[in-house]
Amino acid sequence: MVNETEALPCEGGCGLYGTRVNNNLCSLCYKKSVLQHSAALIFEPETEQSQCCPPMSSPVAEEEPVKKRRCGRCKRKVGMLGFKCRCGHMFCGSHRYPEEHSCPFDYKQSGRLALATQLPLIRADKLQRF
């Protein structure tokens, strides 16, 4: 009687041990082969495959690493509570004010432009003198 859970060297060549249940593959190589096989069935039309086993590479594309949100001044992690300044940087609670992080954004000029666009120019007609 053959034991199905007997540890055999992995046929994937990774150096780990596999079982007969997983086609003599370790759990990592077996998972990769199942993903590759299912992706081949989904993305490729039905054709005769010349190989009995799919290659060991994973079809899943690697995702870009998520950039952590940090304060532009002290580099502290700000998480969800970060304050985005008009200069375009993210800041923590102690550096959120423009005076605290030496903000290069010109608030006076932006305020003047906002008022000039929002308020209409009102001029009275010239009064004629008698």
Side-chain angles (χ1 to χ4, degrees), residues 67-127:
K67 186 177 178 184
K68 294 185 179 180
R69 297 167 45 145
R70 294 186 176 267
C71 177
R73 177 82 181 227
C74 64
K75 307 297 183 212
R76 184 183 303 157
K77 291 181 186 177
V78 294
M80 299 299 290
L81 300 176
F83 295 93
K84 184 130 178 129
C85 183
R86 288 188 183 178
C87 62
H89 298 287
M90 185 73 63
F91 295 101
C92 65
S94 58
H95 295 115
R96 67 182 176 189
Y97 300 113
E99 305 85 36
E100 297 295 324
H101 66 267
S102 304
C103 186
F105 187 79
D106 190 7
Y107 285 92
K108 282 186 180 180
Q109 185 63 26
S110 79
R112 288 181 185 138
L113 289 174
L115 285 176
T117 58
Q118 290 175 357
L119 299 177
L121 184 61
I122 300 174
R123 287 191 178 170
D125 293 334
K126 286 190 173 185
L127 296 175

Side-chain angles (χ1 to χ4, degrees), residues 21-38:
V21 175
N22 293 345
N23 299 328
N24 294 336
L25 295 172
C26 67
S27 61
L28 299 174
C29 293
Y30 181 73
K31 183 177 178 182
K32 287 180 183 179
S33 69
V34 168
L35 285 174
Q36 181 67 29
H37 183 66
S38 64

Side-chain angles (χ1 to χ4, degrees), residues 7-27:
L8 301 170
C10 178
E11 288 186 2
C14 64
L16 298 175
Y17 290 94
T19 61
R20 294 184 195 275
V21 175
N22 293 345
N23 299 328
N24 294 336
L25 295 172
C26 67
S27 61

